[in-house]
């Protein structure tokens, strides 16, 4: 009888030994599947006009609108803590119907980029490409008609988004992240910027979890909502389709947003595509834990580390998170 026939049947990986390893300091990390490395996290920053301004806004504890000098100071600190990348948003001096502050060569994000490039070399600079912080009505695109009851017009908006992305790159952005959800925006930006990395917010849902962000970014729509261009939370197959289209149009990275309520979407995208997959741990996810911790109901550090681990475990290569700075201290 051949030797192999006398061997016991293959069993599953012996779970009792695995459990023992997991309980033992020094062995635990050898069987850990998911890790939180700081270079897999991106810190959002909000630039605003003025000097010496650090304007905290209630809904998002620990996060502030910062004037350019203060952004530079914060970014210097982040870099020293080991944070590798930041994602810039801007709160302009003035808003208008078209959001012209978004592509102004002397706009808030463009000036912040130049200052950061000069004063914090080596920090990777990403920018959010969208109009909602710059339009008087707070929508991510141009509204037609403009005198009430208007709808976002897709194609007219594309031009403005391209101008915005180009001006960011000219000012020093290392990568652009279009978050507007207009159809065809990745292709339009790719045509104008053949070499620039594009991190596409591909599966961006019309979510209630953006509330605190909109307070800080001052981008709450004055009327209507974003369901016309952001995704229905009920859909996952559509998310795969959106990712596929963005990749065809030239995206380098696809992003799922929000993260925690959409772990299944992250997993599905991870399994379908071989490109880098990012997730945005949005303001509401962060603010909920902060609020519960402030009320003494849970341990913030433990809850945050568990949340971020879950997002990475679901399949996200990189996480955009407001916890990035604190994470640097925790790790
Ligand atoms: C801009 C944008 C939003 C967020 C990132 N980019 C808000 C929105 O779509 O309303 C949300 C981020 C967060 O909640 O942390 N369109």
């Amino acid at each position: 009888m051949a030797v192999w026939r006398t061997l016991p049947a293959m069993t599953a990986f012996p779970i009792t030994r695995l459990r023992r390893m997991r309980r033992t300091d020094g062995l635990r990390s050898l069987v850990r599947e998911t890790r939180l490395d700081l270079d897999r996290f991106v810190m959002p920053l909000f630039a605003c006009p003025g000097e010496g301004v650090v304007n905290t806004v209630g809904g998002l504890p620990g996060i502030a609108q910062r004037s350019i000098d203060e952004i530079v100071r914060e970014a210097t600190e982040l870099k020293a803590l080991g944070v590798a990348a930041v994602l810039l948003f801007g709160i302009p001096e003035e808003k208008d119907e078209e959001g012209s502050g978004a592509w102004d060569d002397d706009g808030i994000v463009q000036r912040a980029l130049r200052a950061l490039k000069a004063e914090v070399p080596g920090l990777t600079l990403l920018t959010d490409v969208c109009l909602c912080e710059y339009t008087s009505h707070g929508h991510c695109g141009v509204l037609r008609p403009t005198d009430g009851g208007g709808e976002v017009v897709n194609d007219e908006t594309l031009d403005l988004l391209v101008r915005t992305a180009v001006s960011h790159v000219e000012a020093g952005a290392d990568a652009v992240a279009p978050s507007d959800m207009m159809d065809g925006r990745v292709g339009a930006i790719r045509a104008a910027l053949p070499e620039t990395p594009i991190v596409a917010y591909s599966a961006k849902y019309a979510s209630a979890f953006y509330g605190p962000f909109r307070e800080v970014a001052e981008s709450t729509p004055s009327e209507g909502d974003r369901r016309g261009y952001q995704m229905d939370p009920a859909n996952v197959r559509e998310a795969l389709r959106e990712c596929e289209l963005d990749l065809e149009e030239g995206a380098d990275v696809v992003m799922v947003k929000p993260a925690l309520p959409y772990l299944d979407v992250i997993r599905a995208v991870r399994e379908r595509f071989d490109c880098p997959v990012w997730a945005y741990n949005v303001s509401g996810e962060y603010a909920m834990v902060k609020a519960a911790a402030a009320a003494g109901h849970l341990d913030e550090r433990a809850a945050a580390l568990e949340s971020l681990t879950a997002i990475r475990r679901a399949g996200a290569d990189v996480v955009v998170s407001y916890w990035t700075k604190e994470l640097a201290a925790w790790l």
Side-chain angles (χ1 to χ4, degrees):
M1 196 193 285
V3 172
W4 57 267
R5 278 178 188 267
T6 67
L7 292 172
M10 275 290 280
T11 57
F13 189 81
I15 189 72
T16 46
R17 211 152 60 227
L18 181 60
R19 282 189 193 129
R20 218 180 311 125
M21 291 173 81
R22 181 163 45 69
R23 286 186 200 127
T24 312
D25 289 342
L27 292 178
R28 187 178 304 116
S29 71
L30 297 180
V31 290
R32 179 166 296 145
E33 299 173 29
T34 310
R35 250 163 239 292
L36 300 180
D37 306 315
L38 201 52
D39 56 5
R40 293 185 175 275
F41 289 86
V42 176
M43 180 72 188
L45 291 176
F46 297 87
C48 72
E51 238 192 275
V53 181
V54 178
N55 194 9
T56 51
V57 182
L60 211 46
I63 305 299
Q65 304 173 338
R66 290 184 159 85
S67 53
I68 291 171
D69 54 325
E70 293 292 340
I71 285 253
V72 167
R73 189 205 297 266
E74 179 72 1
T76 305
E77 208 181 302
L78 289 168
K79 176 106 196 307
L81 287 167
V83 173
V86 297
L87 174 62
L88 288 173
F89 295 89
I91 298 108
E93 195 114 38
E94 278 174 33
K95 302 179 187 243
D96 59 28
E97 286 287 336
E98 298 209 310
S100 62
W103 64 84
D104 181 354
D105 187 44
D106 201 30
I108 188 71
V109 165
Q110 289 80 353
R111 283 191 284 134
L113 284 165
R114 285 193 201 96
L116 289 168
K117 263 288 161 235
E119 295 185 50
V120 199
L123 184 69
T124 299
L125 307 177
L126 291 101
T127 58
D128 187 269
V129 174
C130 193
L131 303 183
C132 64
E133 295 115 59
Y134 304 89
T135 51
S136 42
H137 44 73
H139 278 286
C140 302
V142 185
L143 287 189
R144 295 282 180 264
T146 52
D147 48 359
E151 288 198 15
V152 172
V153 285
N154 193 91
D155 293 5
E156 223 176 301
T157 302
L158 293 184
D159 261 0
L160 307 183
L161 293 167
V162 170
R163 285 164 73 173
T164 303
V166 169
S167 79
H168 287 176
V169 171
E170 283 173 356
D174 296 298
V176 292
S179 71
D180 52 280
M181 287 299 274
M182 299 300 125
D183 293 337
R185 89 273 205 225
V186 172
I189 293 171
R190 175 53 73 224
L193 295 167
E195 303 299 334
T196 302
I198 299 178
V199 177
Y201 287 76
S202 300
K204 177 172 175 179
Y205 288 89
S207 172
F209 291 94
Y210 306 150
F213 169 95
R214 290 179 188 171
E215 289 176 47
V216 177
E218 301 179 4
S219 67
T220 306
S222 55
E223 59 174 319
D225 54 47
R226 301 207 208 291
R227 281 179 299 181
Y229 40 101
Q230 298 184 349
M231 284 189 51
D232 181 348
N235 294 356
V236 60
R237 293 189 297 268
E238 186 189 354
L240 296 173
R241 189 80 184 106
E242 290 281 2
C243 290
E244 188 176 23
L245 285 172
D246 282 355
L247 289 168
E248 277 169 18
E249 288 180 27
D252 301 290
V253 175
V254 293
M255 184 144 70
V256 175
K257 176 184 167 187
L260 286 176
Y262 297 86
L263 294 178
D264 60 317
V265 180
I266 297 173
R267 168 56 49 192
V269 171
R270 169 73 294 153
E271 283 178 1
R272 177 76 65 92
F273 303 103
D274 60 7
C275 66
V277 176
W278 290 21
Y280 200 136
N281 173 223
V282 302
S283 58
E285 302 172 46
Y286 167 89
M288 284 193 298
V289 173
K290 285 274 181 194
H297 299 312
L298 51 72
D299 171 348
E300 182 190 354
R301 179 178 185 273
L305 292 176
E306 186 176 331
S307 299
L308 297 174
T309 300
I311 297 166
R312 294 265 299 112
R313 189 196 62 230
D317 297 301
V318 169
V319 187
V320 180
S321 176
Y322 301 96
W323 271 306
T324 299
K325 185 178 182 188
E326 282 156 296
L327 184 65
W330 291 332
L331 290 179

